[in-house]
Amino acid sequence: MTHPENAAEFLKDSQKAKWHDETLWFVRDKRDKVSKGIPEWEQLRELASGIKDNVLANLADYLEEFERNATKNGIIVHWAADSEEHNRLVLEILQQQNCTAVVKSKSILTEECHLNPYLEKHGVEVVDTDLGERIVQFLNQPPSHIVLPAIHLKKGEISELFHEKLNTEKGNEDPAYLTQAARVHLREKFFAAKVAITGVNFGIAETGEFIVCTNEGNADMGVHLAQVHIACMGIEKILPRRKDLGVFLRLLARSATGQPITNYNSHFRSPSPGKEIHIILVDNGRTAQLAREKFRNSLKCIRCGACMNTCPIYRRSGGFSYNSTVPGPIGSILSPGLDLKKHSSLPFASTLCGSCTDVCPVKINIHEQLYEWRQEVTKTQGEFAKGLAMKLASGIFKSPLAYKISGSLMRNALKSLPNSLIYHPLNSWGKNRNLPDAPKESFQQWYRKNRS
Amino acid sequence: MKANSPSVALFIPCYVDQFYPQVGIATLELLEKLGCKVTYPSGQTCCGQPLANAGYARDTVGTATHFIETFNDYDYVVCPSGSCTLHVKEHFPAIAGLEKEQEALGHKIYELIEFITDVLKIEKLEGKFPHRVGFHSSCHGQRGLHLSSGSELNQPPYNKARKLLENLAGLEWVELSRTDECCGFGGTFAVTEEALSIQMGKDRLADHLEHKTEILTGGDMSCIMHLQGIATRSKQELKFLHLAEILNQSLS
Amino acid sequence: MSSREKILSAIRSLTLESKALPDIPNFSNSGDLVERFTQSISGNKGEVLSKGELEEWFSSSGFSKVISRSSQFSELATLSLPEDPHALETLEVAILDGQFGVAENGAIWLEDRQLGLRALPFATEHLVIVLDRNLLEDTMHQGYEKIAAAHSGFGLFLAGPSKTADIEQSLVIGAQGAKSLRVVLI
């Protein structure tokens, strides 16, 4: 299904859609307020953007520096060109450990690589330990938001789910009660797991350490109890210096949820005695995106989710409407690079309002890239684009305007389409909206009569 | 009119020309009242934004060339639309052979309100408009042309339109819950994402109605056309005027 | 070609405009550090208290499984640090010394040296951190300056108890990790 179809479906449950919009708006509003408490906020964004520019311009060097330092510290570094290789590497480490059950904290990268189904196919039980992720995992759903995975669900739905899966009291919807039940369930898993998987927020070239941020403490519960820690990191997550974290940690949580920092910000530099840390550096389309000059700086993304919270489309259509691992504005500029055909409607799921660009802590020009992806989509995706031109013509720019615009504009766009299509009676504009009353004369006509 | 007044060319967006001639007239009369020598260059068409936003920027070379040539001989180009102004400034394809003219155009084209406040340097207008006015901040005007501060940014608050409006005697400014959320027009978006577009429009209207807006105004008729279309269909009691109409009426 | 070579050569084959690495100014804020730190901790749903207040809480709670790595409260310990972190499953209270705190967000820096076992501040039910009130930094920039050359296998900025808002955005304290954080400023 295309984004418009999914969005229309989402909006059918108008009460829930309204709740979704208001809840995410509240998060954005918190972000606005907390960011205004930092006088140097805009300067920090500029710095973060500048640091990431430098990273992307010197990525190969920084990756090698990171590898060198991490190896020196006793971390085992692996490289994966694509998702298959990433998944295979994870499985191999698990098999070496004879491990058939792992705990995993939030990692968008492993979602992108579809690690869970791969491991399950090979007989490994994967327990997602972020509460929101555990909830959607019980439902066999992907996360609908990169920071708030279960934001599409109401507590009633979660209560029913936990009654079935965790044997909680039927009808008890108290979030504290439900969270406590999950705590008991997850702690049992933590204490039993031999291997723990985490994502990575930042990797530091200078020191070879990597940083994982959570509020629940689930990443740490997993890795410090397990014998082996596997960290999965996209190659763009590198930062040059330890002190760069000062900039990024000041921005990350404030942008994401409006809190001054996540409660746990763990810096992994070498394993505890007798234990192992593996890190997998994953490309999976990132070098291809780096090669696309117009879209290169989408790789600056630190996955804070602020663009989703602010996006008037995302708030009213939900994460699943995008049908892409990373939804929302940032997903709409990342996903077409992975599969243009599948994601061709995403660059159009925007009014180009630009709010995403202005909340982005690393100043990615998201809405401008959406515009640029549209130009790419129409080059290769004839069908969809033609449909657009048709709708455009049959909508507001219906007669008399199409005729009146004398330049080559409309004719150029519409030359390949038969008139019967252009003036198709279906009129998306008018379904729920009136057209303005046609005035008796145009401005041009008035001007000719009154001023020349 | 002063003898040495700069020559101002009016750029009236295609849909304003066709559907809202009164906005074009108000823009013209207002600029004349403020002492400008205004011409409407004949033969002007469209800026090409609808096509470019639909992914066909490459097909707008002819339109852009025509536009640059049409407006080349004037000191300023003034347009009662932030969105079209932004398109000319930032999204015209590069036109070979007209590099200098294109560069110059980018610097001399202004949205109406910013022309009044930034070029004519008018701080306040003497007039009256005794109504409760709700302002719709168009995204391209705000985040593109920076006609007002954005709620997302940590910057001192300002709003060029508000500055002019608030000086009008009797005008009550409506404070909204969400001061600068998109209305959901978005050009082709309005038809390709019809359901979302309508919902976004309804939500903006609800904010205005809840805060007792009597007249909803803005600098972009496209947003207002969309909002008015929804309000009319749902029989909501709201009036809609372009900023040019309010300012022009209040000065008469 | 290995994936490593493939990735690195793919990047090196691109002509990338050079971009200088920006310097980070030494941003600072005004205001009393202790006051701001205390506000930050309570904003993160932790609590700042005095030594006496902690002792009072302790005596009224009757904990039987307590590990203390702080010399300030060694008498409160009932257990010594185990070798295997799995033994922490039923631990009620862990008391640790913090290295320093950051006023802007309440983050407290801990390293292997303070932790003993890395799982300790997460696995315990309640966490107490003892911090010298003269060791507060203004922002994260000063914080990182302080640990620029420090080398610990594991380090952590900890700012509050384990929390989640994954169910309808309702804040719940005590997700998977410690259910509470008390910071004793001395």
Side-chain angles (χ1 to χ4, degrees):
Chain A
M1 291 223 295
T2 62
H3 187 271
E5 291 165 331
N6 289 327
E9 195 58 37
F10 185 86
L11 286 168
K12 275 185 189 156
D13 188 345
S14 59
Q15 247 186 322
K16 192 165 167 184
K18 186 168 191 281
W19 178 85
H20 193 266
D21 166 60
E22 284 172 352
T23 305
L24 289 167
W25 177 267
F26 178 77
V27 179
R28 194 211 110 167
D29 199 47
K30 258 172 75 186
R31 170 234 167 258
D32 289 352
K33 289 194 177 98
V34 74
S35 65
K36 284 174 179 64
I38 310 288
E40 61 271 22
W41 182 257
E42 300 302 333
Q43 239 177 310
L44 287 174
R45 291 176 67 220
E46 195 63 49
L47 277 168
S49 169
I51 293 167
K52 283 284 189 181
D53 276 333
N54 173 267
V55 167
L56 296 179
N58 302 283
L59 188 56
D61 293 346
Y62 285 135
L63 283 167
E64 283 184 321
E65 188 186 348
F66 176 80
E67 180 191 40
R68 206 165 44 241
N69 287 322
T71 308
K72 208 163 64 191
N73 297 335
I75 291 178
I76 302 157
V77 181
H78 309 261
W79 300 72
D82 52 29
S83 58
E84 287 81 39
E85 189 174 9
H86 163 265
N87 293 348
R88 201 178 59 238
L89 283 166
V90 174
L91 182 65
E92 279 169 14
I93 300 168
L94 295 178
Q95 286 170 341
Q96 280 162 19
Q97 300 294 325
N98 293 321
C99 171
T100 54
V102 289
V103 287
K104 177 163 83 71
S105 71
K106 198 150 60 189
S107 152
I108 309 301
L109 176 62
T110 61
E111 288 294 326
E112 175 189 317
C113 293
H114 302 291
L115 177 67
N116 287 15
Y118 175 87
L119 292 181
E120 281 155 14
K121 205 176 73 194
H122 288 86
V124 179
E125 184 203 12
V126 186
V127 175
D128 283 327
T129 58
D130 173 83
L131 174 58
E133 287 211 322
R134 188 63 177 150
I135 292 168
V136 295
Q137 189 182 32
F138 276 146
L139 287 166
N140 273 318
Q141 288 178 344
S144 73
H145 186 293
I146 59 173
V147 174
L148 319 164
I151 192 66
H152 60 290
L153 296 169
K154 301 283 288 170
K155 60 186 176 189
E157 298 167 272
I158 297 167
S159 164
E160 246 174 73
L161 179 70
F162 277 18
H163 173 63
E164 183 198 325
K165 301 281 184 186
L166 302 178
N167 205 20
T168 56
E169 271 168 40
K170 198 167 174 58
N172 191 334
E173 296 181 0
D174 176 19
Y177 169 76
L178 296 172
T179 301
Q180 171 63 24
R183 175 187 169 93
V184 171
H185 160 71
L186 287 168
R187 282 177 71 99
E188 195 180 298
K189 301 289 183 186
F190 288 128
F191 279 92
K194 265 167 52 184
V195 178
I197 301 172
T198 70
V200 169
N201 289 92
F202 308 100
I204 310 298
E206 176 186 63
T207 57
E209 72 193 314
F210 62 90
I211 285 79
V212 181
C213 307
T214 72
N215 272 319
E216 298 180 4
N218 57 312
D220 290 277
M221 281 297 289
V223 299
H224 301 314
L225 290 165
Q227 190 58 29
V228 176
H229 174 183
I230 306 173
C232 307
M233 170 174 140
I235 53 171
E236 81 284 17
K237 296 277 176 148
I238 289 278
L239 292 178
R241 306 162 296 198
R242 190 176 224 194
K243 68 176 177 190
D244 296 325
L245 288 168
V247 174
F248 284 88
L249 287 184
R250 295 188 79 192
L251 287 166
L252 178 61
R254 289 186 173 99
S255 297
T257 57
Q259 49 177 126
I261 192 165
T262 35
N263 276 356
Y264 302 105
N265 308 272
S266 297
H267 299 49
F268 296 90
R269 197 152 176 174
S270 50
S272 283
K275 296 195 174 187
E276 283 176 28
I277 297 181
H278 296 254
I279 188 160
I280 307 178
L281 304 175
V282 186
D283 181 346
N284 204 36
R286 285 160 178 78
T287 52
Q289 189 79 333
L290 190 66
R292 299 181 183 106
E293 201 186 336
K294 284 177 182 159
F295 306 111
R296 176 175 301 154
N297 83 14
S298 60
L299 293 172
K300 291 178 182 177
C301 177
I302 57 171
R303 304 289 191 271
C304 71
C307 63
M308 294 165 203
N309 304 338
T310 200
C311 180
I313 313 305
Y314 179 91
R315 275 187 269 112
R316 292 176 182 82
S317 63
F320 295 151
S321 67
Y322 295 81
N323 209 358
S324 120
T325 303
V326 180
I330 184 66
S332 300
I333 62 173
L334 289 172
S335 303
L338 297 172
D339 186 343
L340 187 59
K341 197 174 158 118
K342 181 179 172 203
H343 301 296
S344 64
S345 67
L346 298 189
F348 296 90
S350 163
T351 57
L352 306 180
C353 79
S355 186
C356 45
T357 300
D358 283 352
V359 295
C360 178
V362 289
K363 298 190 87 160
I364 301 170
N365 56 336
I366 303 176
H367 73 295
E368 288 170 7
Q369 292 191 38
L370 287 166
Y371 176 87
E372 292 298 342
W373 272 117
R374 292 181 182 189
Q375 314 305 325
E376 299 299 316
V377 168
T378 55
K379 279 183 205 158
T380 50
Q381 304 292 313
E383 286 299 295
F384 179 71
K386 266 190 195 171
L388 258 180
M390 184 194 82
K391 283 185 180 169
L392 165 66
S394 71
I396 42 172
F397 295 101
K398 200 170 128 161
S399 92
L401 196 55
Y403 288 115
K404 288 280 183 182
I405 296 172
S406 52
S408 57
L409 178 68
M410 278 295 164
R411 282 200 297 277
N412 236 353
L414 306 175
K415 65 190 167 193
S416 57
L417 300 170
N419 276 352
S420 61
L421 275 183
I422 298 170
Y423 298 108
H424 194 274
L426 174 128
N427 181 342
S428 309
W429 178 272
K431 208 169 131 196
N432 288 295
R433 238 174 328 218
N434 286 6
L435 268 171
D437 299 328
K440 65 178 194 300
E441 58 184 2
S442 69
F443 175 75
Q444 280 190 38
Q445 290 165 325
W446 176 91
Y447 187 82
R448 240 176 262 136
K449 267 195 252 167
N450 292 280
R451 285 291 192 283
S452 46
Chain B
M1 194 185 304
K2 288 178 236 144
N4 62 347
S5 301
S7 64
V8 173
L10 258 194
F11 160 41
I12 301 297
C14 49
Y15 66 95
V16 173
D17 176 42
Q18 290 295 319
F19 292 126
Y20 300 102
Q22 70 277 17
V23 173
I25 297 167
T27 305
L28 174 70
E29 290 180 353
L30 175 65
L31 288 169
E32 286 176 346
K33 283 177 195 173
L34 299 176
C36 301
K37 192 169 73 194
V38 190
T39 316
Y40 173 77
S42 64
Q44 60 178 276
T45 58
C46 170
C47 63
Q49 179 171 203
L51 262 190
N53 282 2
Y56 290 99
R58 59 190 173 279
D59 287 339
T60 63
V61 172
T63 324
T65 308
H66 178 70
F67 192 101
I68 297 167
E69 286 166 348
T70 305
F71 289 97
N72 194 37
D73 297 332
Y74 300 88
D75 297 326
Y76 295 104
V77 181
V78 177
C79 172
S81 158
S83 189
C84 300
T85 304
L86 182 71
H87 184 75
V88 173
K89 278 172 102 89
E90 289 191 0
H91 281 150
F92 261 17
I95 307 297
L98 287 176
E99 290 85 356
K100 252 173 58 192
E101 291 81 353
Q102 187 164 6
E103 158 104 28
L105 175 63
H107 293 296
K108 71 183 185 186
I109 185 166
Y110 287 89
E111 182 272 345
L112 174 65
I113 299 298
E114 68 173 343
F115 183 73
I116 296 173
T117 59
D118 298 9
V119 179
L120 298 179
K121 307 272 183 210
I122 292 172
E123 297 267 300
K124 71 198 262 194
L125 293 169
E126 299 298 337
K128 71 172 193 207
F129 197 77
H131 299 282
R132 268 186 76 75
V133 174
F135 176 69
H136 176 68
S137 176
S138 99
C139 300
H140 290 171
Q142 175 173 296
R143 299 190 190 88
L145 295 174
H146 311 295
L147 303 181
S148 51
S149 51
S151 56
E152 299 90 352
L153 299 174
N154 190 344
Q155 60 182 166
Y158 69 92
N159 182 333
K160 294 179 183 183
R162 180 171 185 166
K163 207 168 149 187
L164 293 179
L165 288 176
E166 277 195 325
N167 270 311
L168 300 177
L171 185 139
E172 279 179 72
W173 178 272
V174 174
E175 297 290 352
L176 299 168
S177 300
R178 300 185 185 181
T179 54
D180 51 15
E181 193 182 24
C182 180
C183 67
F185 170 67
T188 49
F189 180 89
V191 285
T192 55
E193 289 267 15
E194 195 263 350
L196 272 170
S197 174
I198 295 291
Q199 189 58 52
M200 288 164 71
K202 283 183 173 168
D203 290 351
R204 285 288 79 235
L205 287 166
D207 197 353
H208 281 276
L209 289 167
E210 190 189 324
H211 295 92
K212 307 221 169 358
T213 294
E214 175 195 345
I215 296 170
L216 195 158
T217 190
D220 264 294
M221 232 30 224
S222 47
C223 308
I224 293 182
M225 170 170 72
H226 160 71
L227 291 171
Q228 187 170 24
I230 299 170
T232 324
R233 178 66 60 90
S234 23
K235 302 197 168 30
Q236 286 167 336
E237 290 288 321
L238 261 178
K239 278 186 229 129
F240 296 83
L241 288 176
H242 189 274
L243 285 167
E245 295 178 279
I246 294 186
L247 295 176
N248 188 46
Q249 279 176 33
S250 66
L251 294 192
S252 51
Chain C
M1 202 173 6
S2 72
S3 292
R4 179 185 185 279
E5 302 315 315
K6 222 164 34 182
I7 294 167
L8 291 173
S9 68
I11 300 170
R12 292 218 159 94
S13 72
L14 304 172
T15 337
L16 300 166
E17 195 192 329
S18 91
K19 301 272 176 78
L21 184 58
D23 289 328
I24 302 169
N26 192 27
F27 295 109
S28 58
N29 292 294
S30 55
D32 179 62
L33 292 178
V34 171
E35 197 179 305
R36 285 170 52 221
F37 177 81
T38 306
Q39 272 172 6
S40 296
I41 287 285
S42 63
N44 300 340
K45 306 300 169 192
E47 192 186 341
V48 173
L49 28 69
S50 65
K51 200 173 171 187
E53 286 167 325
L54 186 87
E55 281 158 352
E56 213 170 287
W57 171 67
F58 231 85
S59 59
S60 67
S61 306
F63 295 116
S64 63
K65 292 176 178 168
V66 180
I67 292 176
S68 174
R69 298 194 36 90
S70 171
S71 55
Q72 293 287 331
F73 294 101
S74 44
E75 76 284 359
L76 297 180
T78 62
L79 301 169
S80 54
L81 193 71
E83 268 185 30
D84 181 354
H86 290 86
L88 301 172
E89 192 168 3
T90 54
L91 182 68
E92 290 170 317
V93 184
I95 307 174
L96 303 171
D97 284 327
Q99 274 197 25
F100 64 89
V102 178
E104 71 159 325
N105 56 18
I108 300 165
W109 182 249
L110 302 158
E111 287 183 351
D112 278 337
R113 189 151 52 89
Q114 285 85 40
L115 301 174
L117 277 177
R118 294 180 186 179
L120 188 57
F122 306 98
T124 183
E125 191 172 351
H126 300 284
L127 178 62
V128 176
I129 298 181
V130 184
L131 198 58
D132 181 341
R133 64 174 62 239
N134 297 310
L135 294 177
L136 293 178
E137 298 293 330
D138 186 353
T139 72
M140 292 300 279
H141 305 296
Q142 289 80 35
Y144 275 105
E145 210 168 282
K146 203 156 174 163
I147 55 169
H151 195 303
S152 170
F154 178 70
L156 164 74
F157 272 115
L158 185 150
S162 168
K163 64 174 182 176
T164 183
D166 276 344
I167 300 177
E168 272 197 16
Q169 279 295 290
S170 311
L171 183 65
V172 178
I173 308 303
Q176 281 74 282
K179 284 178 168 174
S180 73
L181 170 70
R182 285 172 177 78
V183 181
V184 182
L185 280 185
I186 50 164

